[in-house]
Amino acid sequence: MHYLITGGAGFVGSHLADALLQRGDEVTVLDDLSTGAMRNIRHLKNRSGFTYVIDTVLNAPLLAELVDGADQIFHLAAAVGVRLIVESPVRTIETNVKTTEMVLAAACKKRKKVFVASTSEVYGKSVAVPFREDGDLVLGATSRGRWSYASSKAIDEFLAIAYWRERRCPTVIGRCFNTVGPRQTGHYGMVVPRFVQQALREEPLTVYGDGRQTRCFTHVADGVRAMIGLMDADDTVGEVYNLGSEIETPILALAERVKQLTGSESPVTFVPYREAYGDNFEDMPRRVPSLEKIRSAIGWEPVIGLDEILISVIEYERSLTPQAA
Ligand code: UDP
């Protein structure tokens, strides 16, 4: 099979490219390097079956050509990361909505199946844990910029479902829960690379709020395996699936574990949300997926635990900054 991966030079996209090439498929990556990086795909450059194009999904003629050449499409290009969303809401909303519209329209013309990457952020402030795919989305006021990300991704989901129901163009949606692993950047706020980098530099680990909020961290290799499984299956079409670990980790406990595993002497400091993200910021206390649906659809289970995740990130960060090792 030949796959097109939009956002393929990003953190998740590059691991997806690795996995598809590994099983003998061909991969074309389309990425504008806005948040992705050449270093994520450099190791694939001379690999047979791999090509990449540095350009935007908004280049319609190019997108049409790349869709033509592919059998299926993974649409991962998006503006992600709480910091980016809070600081650049126009970019977040426009990127996420426009690119998905364009990818779905181009793919539909050729009846090519599309995986649309969504996010657990769409559940918003819901307290109905574990979150089921048919549960309500509970978002805050539009004056609170954070929710623009969830709203833009919810529109992407509505659109992907509509393309299937109204036009019979096959789509499948994955809601990713805190996917982490090597190559993720901390620039846009993601907590695991930030804590690991802070620990390796012997800087304070910045826990936002009281640190009792939890997240379910999912290794990117588990996440990518789920995405491929959902695309390989026929009866997943037109459906939404949670894709994440069920094991909750409080953020303060995460900071302590990162310190232990790196042997760092860094102190842990508590930073009010207001200081981190400005006034009007809301965080969610818990975010836990129900895996019932994906388990029964494709038998998927995450298998990589928190320590293994952290060790893989620590090794990666040490390889980038050898002096910190
Ligand atoms: N967080 C933190 N310190 C940081 C970055 C993030 O305590 O330096 C917290 C953040 O407030 C949230 C959790 O870690 O409660 C996960 O944040 P991330 O941005 O990685 O993902 P989110 O789940 O918020 O999309």
Side-chain angles (χ1 to χ4, degrees):
M1 292 278 274
H2 186 167
Y3 293 92
L4 171 63
I5 307 177
T6 71
F11 154 57
V12 178
S14 63
H15 284 280
L16 178 60
D18 287 343
L20 292 170
L21 290 164
Q22 191 62 39
R23 72 172 194 179
D25 292 313
E26 290 179 16
V27 170
T28 298
V29 157
L30 173 61
D31 200 301
D32 65 0
L33 301 185
S34 53
T35 57
M38 269 315 290
R39 73 159 179 267
N40 291 340
I41 52 169
R42 191 161 286 133
H43 62 289
L44 298 176
K45 262 179 155 176
N46 297 320
R47 183 97 175 235
S48 85
F50 179 74
T51 43
Y52 69 95
V53 182
I54 304 304
D55 208 320
T56 165
V57 172
L58 303 175
N59 180 344
L62 172 70
L63 179 66
E65 190 186 317
L66 297 179
V67 164
D68 245 355
D71 297 305
Q72 296 190 345
I73 297 119
F74 283 94
H75 175 46
L76 271 58
V80 298
V82 174
R83 181 162 300 286
L84 184 62
I85 289 141
V86 169
E87 287 173 2
S88 313
V90 173
R91 175 172 162 197
T92 306
I93 301 163
E94 290 191 351
T95 305
N96 293 349
V97 178
K98 274 188 195 161
T99 60
T100 304
E101 276 174 10
M102 290 189 56
V103 168
L104 289 171
C108 188
K109 267 193 195 148
K110 303 289 168 147
R111 288 281 182 285
K112 306 268 166 93
K113 188 173 179 181
V114 185
F115 174 90
V116 174
S118 185
T119 167
S120 56
E121 180 85 10
V122 297
Y123 290 106
K125 299 186 283 184
S126 172
V127 289
V129 290
F131 298 148
R132 290 171 50 91
E133 292 84 345
D134 56 3
D136 289 342
L137 312 186
V138 184
L139 305 185
T142 49
S143 55
R144 297 178 189 266
R146 174 187 192 139
W147 303 117
S148 65
Y149 178 48
S151 303
S152 67
K153 280 294 177 184
I155 286 288
D156 288 354
E157 291 195 14
F158 279 121
L159 204 56
I161 293 169
Y163 263 98
W164 170 242
R165 291 194 184 155
E166 195 182 323
R167 306 211 175 146
R168 301 325 268 176
C169 295
T171 58
V172 54
I173 299 156
R175 286 184 184 157
C176 304
F177 282 67
N178 292 81
T179 307
V180 293
R183 302 181 200 153
Q184 186 175 38
T185 163
H187 287 144
Y188 309 108
M190 278 77 161
V191 68
V192 169
R194 280 175 58 80
F195 281 0
V196 169
Q197 286 160 7
Q198 289 166 341
L200 292 179
R201 294 180 192 138
E202 299 292 344
E203 291 168 0
L205 272 64
T206 53
V207 170
Y208 298 162
D210 62 12
R212 286 191 295 177
Q213 72 273 31
T214 72
R215 292 296 187 268
C216 294
F217 295 102
T218 312
H219 194 277
V220 62
D222 277 333
V224 154
R225 191 164 46 80
M227 292 175 190
I228 295 173
L230 290 172
M231 278 291 259
D232 284 348
D234 288 328
D235 49 7
T236 53
V237 160
E239 296 289 330
V240 180
Y241 293 90
N242 287 337
L243 204 155
S245 158
E246 292 170 303
I247 299 166
E248 282 180 271
T249 305
I251 298 304
L252 180 55
L254 177 75
E256 296 297 350
R257 195 67 191 136
V258 167
K259 277 188 59 172
Q260 283 165 357
L261 291 173
T262 51
S264 170
E265 301 286 316
S266 291
V268 171
T269 55
F270 292 91
V271 179
Y273 285 115
R274 188 178 5 90
E275 249 173 64
Y277 292 125
D279 286 333
N280 264 335
F281 185 79
E282 287 180 301
D283 201 10
M284 56 287 289
R286 293 177 72 196
R287 185 194 263 168
V288 187
S290 159
L291 297 185
E292 209 182 308
K293 190 171 172 184
I294 193 166
R295 262 194 201 111
S296 67
I298 59 167
W300 178 81
E301 293 284 342
V303 295
I304 305 176
L306 184 66
D307 276 4
E308 212 180 321
I309 289 174
L310 293 179
I311 289 164
S312 73
V313 176
I314 293 165
E315 277 174 7
Y316 174 73
E317 293 295 338
R318 280 193 167 133
S319 76
L320 293 181
T321 52
Q323 70 279 12

